[in-house]
Every structure is written in structure tokens, then in C-alpha cells.
Amino acid sequence: MKFEKEINRRKTFAIISHPDAGKTTLTEKFLLFGGAIQTAGAVKSNKIKKFATSDFMDIERQRGISVATSVMTFEYKNFLVNLLDTPGHKDFAEDTFRTLTAVDSVVLVVDSVNGVEEQTRRLMEVCRMRNTPVIVFINKMDRDGKNRFDLLEEIEMELKIELHPMTWPINSGKDFKGVYNLHEKSLLLFSPNTKASDENSIELKDLQDDLLDEKLGSHDAAQLREDVELIDGVYGQLKVEDYLQAKVAPVFFGSAINNFGVKELLDSFISIAPIPQEREASTRMVMPGEEKFSGFIFKIHANLDPRHRDRIAFVRICSGKFLRSKYYHHVRLQKDIRFNNPYSFLARSKDIIDDAYPGDVVGLFDTGNFKIGDTLTEGEDYYFLGIPSFSPEIFKELVNKDPLKTKQLEKGINQLTDEGVAQLFTQFGGNKKIIGCVGELQFEVIQYRLLEEYGAACEFRTLPFYKACWLTSNDPKKLEDFLRYKQQNSAEDKDGHPVYLAQSEWFLKTEMDNNPDIVFHFTSEINK
Ligand code: G4P
């Protein structure tokens, strides 16, 4: 393999968390360690999550910024790290889910005060579905948090994953004194705003070392000895294989804002996180080391300038070497396309690149050729699997307010849904266009963008649905009858797949019970 060295030095991952747990802060510290940014605050000031719903100009401005921060590439200890950003706002959860299809592992940030929160649970579900290896970072140890053992238990129960502590905290909040590194058997002492953690790292002969009492005081030293004995008994040694198979998640404690415990996390991540992995495609498994290039589109971003409808499609490279200006095969459209200005992403700036390798994410200028899930190859006809579409949670009818702009509205809503902003369903037996989103905010964004970018005015009428289920059946006649009979609740998605729109859990359950020959799917793989 010609580029084995390149593959072996790449780590592509995402940091995920419930909003406010500290994802942005941790991202920033990683970038500082990687030398990708020089000052704290650089990422933070770009934060997209805190905009008011009415603040559309801000969305416009932030859209450009979030392209640049979508992928952050930095080097650390000879590794090339691709950190894929995920939106914090829950209304953009689907964007996050899709980004998770493009990474090989994740770091999950949990707030030590709030423990497992709603978004944490949902994100972990996606990781579990895909068997993505997870490292947990328990943040904000400088605040009075939950009891550490209780917290671990809560995470294990709620997220249904076995944990393995790599470091262990000494107290929390005002009394937080630092963490004990269970593997290196060293003590890392906490002082707010520690610059380089090495300075505060103390090697111990063993836990009986008097130095421990000297540094922590006899009470905390005794408590630590007791805790560690318990932990060693329960958890033993981490088997990296178990982590790579997503059976066990190593856990680190720290405080991102104080840059405490972050280096330990990053060092461990570099040493154990998976390099680019094989991927399942429709006809076979695709290995990263294959000679021929392949990749898939997991994200599409509207360009900053609304007068030009160019978009940036983000391709995750799965195999081979990507070369600038070489023709590649767009499998869905069955046509060959080349890219003269592919971008790579260094934090906050875009650079045109000549080549890229498996694990890398490249930004391609797109004039409407791509939709999420599209596969590019060097000619072979297969498409990558596992890019799911989840059921929206809010459904509204799209109502055209300007009949003279019908065409623009059609085009706009098609392009926006190709970008994955929302899902579009068309009611059977009618032409009613139903937009499904995860959050209210997205409807406002759609309305705004349709008007600004396409000149089409629209409004939304609330519909009484709560879930979309994709339907399949071995008996086409039964499916057809069901769709006809349930016309008010039936629609097709953009790819023509039949969908049942349920008003409530009760209706859904009743239909499932009454129609045993029809399978109700809660996610649809876009490519299937
Ligand atoms: P997010 O991206 O996951 O939404 O979280 P973010 O990093 O923005 O952090 C959310 C808040 O938590 C921020 O405070 C941040 O400063 C704070 N924070 C992050 N890590 C720690 C930590 O280790 N300890 C403590 N005590 N706080 C932490 P904010 O007031 O919302 O924002 P800002 O005013 O600081 O920008």
C-alpha cells in the first residue's frame, strides 16, 4: 500500500455533548495543543448556538463561519487530527447525527454537575448504532458535581456502555485538588488556568508514597487510596480492543476551561483512537488502503454569498488518494465530475489542496450535483451505507404565499432539503408538501432562506403528526392498500419511499398491531 503511512497517522473524530457541557471549550483547548489557533476565545467567539431565533442576520453571518469550523485539522505528535464540528443546538441534531457517520471515533463531554442530559442520550444512541468507539470526558470538576461513583453508574446505566476510568478525581468544586492517573500512576495537581499540565504532574512510587499525603493532606490521600483500590478491583486494566469495538469507554475527569486533564485526554486519544476504518458499501466492504479513491458526502453547506447558490459539499474520504482536478464518478448521477478547487480545513481558514487521504474531509464546490449520502468513486458502482435519516419531530405544511414564485419555491425547498436542513414529504393523492424538522428554529431558517436566496415567500401550517415511519412489506399489495386507505397519513419521501405519518404513539401502535405484514422503520438509510 503506497499511502499506509498517511492512513496510520490520521485520526478523524467528533466531540459531542449536550449544549453547555463544554464542547466548544474542549475543542478550543485541543486546537491550542495542536497549534491550530494561538489564542483562547478564537473558537468560542464563533459559537453558533447562542443566536436568538429572530436574529437571522446572525445566522447568515455565522453560516460562513461555521463552514470554516466544520472541520478542524491539526497536527499533534506527528498525527494528523481531523476534528469534525457538530452543532450544539438541538434543532440541528440531525446534522450532528450525519456528521457522526463520517468519523471513526468520538469524545463525549459530560457535565459533572448535570450528568447525562437529553442530547447526550440521543447522541450515544447513534454511536451505539454505528459501534463508534467513545472516550468520555467528565468536565467541570472545578464545580460541585455529583458523587463520582454515582456519576459513573448514571452514565453506564443511561448510556448503556461500560466505562473504564483512566484518571480519578480528588474531590470536586472548591476542594478539587486534581486527578490521579490510574495507568501512569502519577498525580496531576489542579490549579486554575494551568498552562502546561506537565509542570503539575507528580510521579509517585506507588500509592503509599508519602508524597501523596504531603500534596493532598492525609484525609484526601487516604480517600484516594481507598477509591483506587475499589476501582482497580472493579475495572482492572483497560483492554484497548474493547474500546475499539465500542464495548468499553475510557473516562477522563477534568476541567476544560482550566485546561486541566485535557492534555491527558488528548495524549490518550492519540494513542488509542482508531485510524480510518473500513466502510460498508452496497456491494462490498471498502478498505482505506485500496488503491482507488472513494468517499461520500455527509454534509452540504450553503455558501456565504446568497447571490450565488454555490454550495460546499463535504466528502469524507474512505479509500485511496484524492487528487485535485481528477475526474471522479458520481454514482447516483452516473456522471464523471472533477474538482479544481477542493478545500481542506485548517481551523477557521480554507486552503486549496492537491491531494487528500482516507480519514480526511475535503470541501467540494457544488453547483447542485450533490445531496447528502452521495458516493464518489473511481468508476465502480457502489454506494456507502449507514447514512441514516431520522424521523422529524415537527411537521408543517409548506404554503406558497406568492403563486408567481411557485418554481422558485420548488427549487428552493428541493435544494434546502438536499442540504439536509429538513426533510420533505409529499402527501399521497395530493400535492401537499410536508416539511419535517427536528426543531422550530429550522422552520424559521427555511422561511428566511427561501425568501432571501430564492425570492419565494412561504408560510407554514402546523400538522398534527409526531413521527414519520418508513414502510416496507414483502406484500406490495398490502402496502399499497394501506397507503390508499390511510391517505391522510401517507406520504412519500424525496426518494419516493412510502412513509406513514403518525398523530400519536397510540395511533402508531394501533397501526403496527393491525398491519403485521408491514414493517414500520424509525430511521431510513438515505441510500437504501
Ligand atoms: P458547549 O460548546 O458544549 O455548549 O459548551 P461551552 O464550551 O460553550 O461551555 C459552556 C459553559 O461552560 C461556558 O460558560 C464555559 O465557559 C463553561 N465551562 C466550560 N468548561 C468548564 C469547566 O471546566 N468549568 C467550569 N466551571 N465551566 C466550564 P458560559 O458562561 O456559558 O460562557 P462564557 O461566558 O464563559 O463564554
Side-chain angles (χ1 to χ4, degrees), residues 17-26 44 47 49-50 88 139-143 254-258:
S17 76
H18 187 87
D20 275 341
K23 179 175 74 74
T24 314
T25 313
L26 185 65
K44 205 147 188 65
K47 198 145 99 153
K49 70 181 180 116
K50 278 186 182 155
N139 191 28
K140 305 196 186 179
M141 289 308 298
D142 58 320
R143 296 187 53 197
S255 168
I257 195 96
N258 291 298

Side-chain angles (χ1 to χ4, degrees), residues 51 64 78 99 118 140 146 216 218 225 246 320 366 381 464 479:
F51 54 78
N78 285 330
T99 298
E118 187 202 338
K140 305 196 186 179
K146 300 190 175 188
L216 299 181
S218 54
R225 288 183 186 113
D366 174 36
D381 273 327
L479 184 54

Side-chain angles (χ1 to χ4, degrees), residues 373-386:
D374 278 344
T375 297
L376 286 173
T377 68
E378 278 194 38
E380 202 177 328
D381 273 327
Y382 59 73
Y383 48 84
F384 286 101
L385 300 177

Side-chain angles (χ1 to χ4, degrees), residues 350-469:
K350 294 183 294 197
D351 290 321
I352 291 174
I353 47 131
D354 292 318
D355 51 27
Y357 296 90
D360 287 345
V361 171
V362 175
L364 306 175
F365 259 119
D366 174 36
T367 46
N369 280 316
F370 288 120
K371 62 181 196 170
I372 283 168
D374 278 344
T375 297
L376 286 173
T377 68
E378 278 194 38
E380 202 177 328
D381 273 327
Y382 59 73
Y383 48 84
F384 286 101
L385 300 177
I387 301 141
S389 183
F390 294 85
S391 173
E393 286 165 18
I394 307 171
F395 298 82
K396 294 191 184 190
E397 182 188 348
L398 178 70
V399 182
N400 188 359
K401 274 187 24 187
D402 182 354
L404 294 174
K405 296 282 170 65
T406 306
K407 257 198 178 145
Q408 284 87 335
L409 185 74
E410 292 255 334
K411 184 171 179 189
I413 200 65
N414 267 318
Q415 290 202 344
L416 293 185
T417 46
D418 274 356
E419 272 178 38
V421 177
Q423 291 182 52
L424 174 64
F425 304 97
T426 310
Q427 196 171 37
F428 272 125
N431 262 337
K432 204 187 264 183
K433 286 198 179 340
I434 300 170
I435 308 295
C437 290
V438 180
E440 283 291 346
L441 183 55
Q442 277 156 315
F443 288 101
E444 295 181 39
V445 172
I446 292 169
Q447 196 173 28
Y448 172 77
R449 288 189 57 191
L450 283 174
L451 190 62
E452 287 297 307
E453 293 171 33
Y454 300 88
C458 75
E459 61 186 21
F460 292 103
R461 206 169 285 154
T462 303
L463 295 169
F465 305 127
Y466 99 109
K467 194 165 261 177
C469 291

Side-chain angles (χ1 to χ4, degrees), residues 161-322:
I161 184 152
E162 226 175 89
L163 298 180
H164 188 105
M166 305 291 281
T167 59
W168 192 250
I170 297 124
N171 305 328
S172 64
K174 280 194 307 300
D175 299 327
F176 182 51
K177 289 192 179 158
V179 293
Y180 175 70
N181 190 324
L182 291 151
H183 289 262
E184 284 171 13
K185 313 232 177 296
S186 59
L187 186 67
L188 192 61
L189 288 178
F190 175 71
S191 66
N193 284 314
T194 319
K195 284 268 170 356
S197 50
D198 289 344
E199 288 166 21
N200 294 20
S201 181
I202 294 161
E203 289 300 321
L204 299 169
K205 279 201 298 293
D206 55 41
L207 267 178
Q208 303 315 318
D209 199 325
D210 288 343
L211 209 52
L212 198 65
D213 300 80
E214 195 183 301
K215 296 288 177 189
L216 299 181
S218 54
H219 176 267
D220 288 336
Q223 183 66 53
L224 179 66
R225 288 183 186 113
E226 200 179 299
D227 287 354
V228 171
E229 197 181 334
L230 196 66
I231 294 161
D232 278 347
V234 175
Y235 296 98
Q237 275 287 322
L238 173 75
K239 292 194 192 78
V240 176
E241 211 35 52
D242 289 345
Y243 154 68
L244 291 173
Q245 290 172 6
K247 290 184 190 148
V248 168
V251 181
F252 291 82
F253 291 84
S255 168
I257 195 96
N258 291 298
N259 205 0
F260 186 81
V262 175
K263 188 170 179 296
E264 291 62 32
L265 170 70
L266 184 56
D267 285 343
S268 228
F269 166 82
I270 285 297
S271 89
I272 63 174
I275 57 171
Q277 297 294 295
E278 60 187 27
R279 300 252 148 187
E280 192 184 0
S282 52
T283 56
R284 63 186 182 84
M285 294 302 284
V286 176
M287 311 303 285
E290 289 179 19
E291 197 77 15
K292 297 214 160 123
F293 161 80
S294 69
F296 66 89
I297 308 292
F298 67 93
K299 183 179 180 119
I300 295 175
H301 225 297
N303 209 354
L304 190 57
D305 186 349
R307 285 166 305 164
H308 303 112
R309 283 207 207 96
D310 293 351
R311 304 184 294 181
I312 297 178
F314 292 78
V315 62
R316 146 88 197 209
I317 299 175
C318 299
S319 69
K321 182 173 171 177
F322 172 90

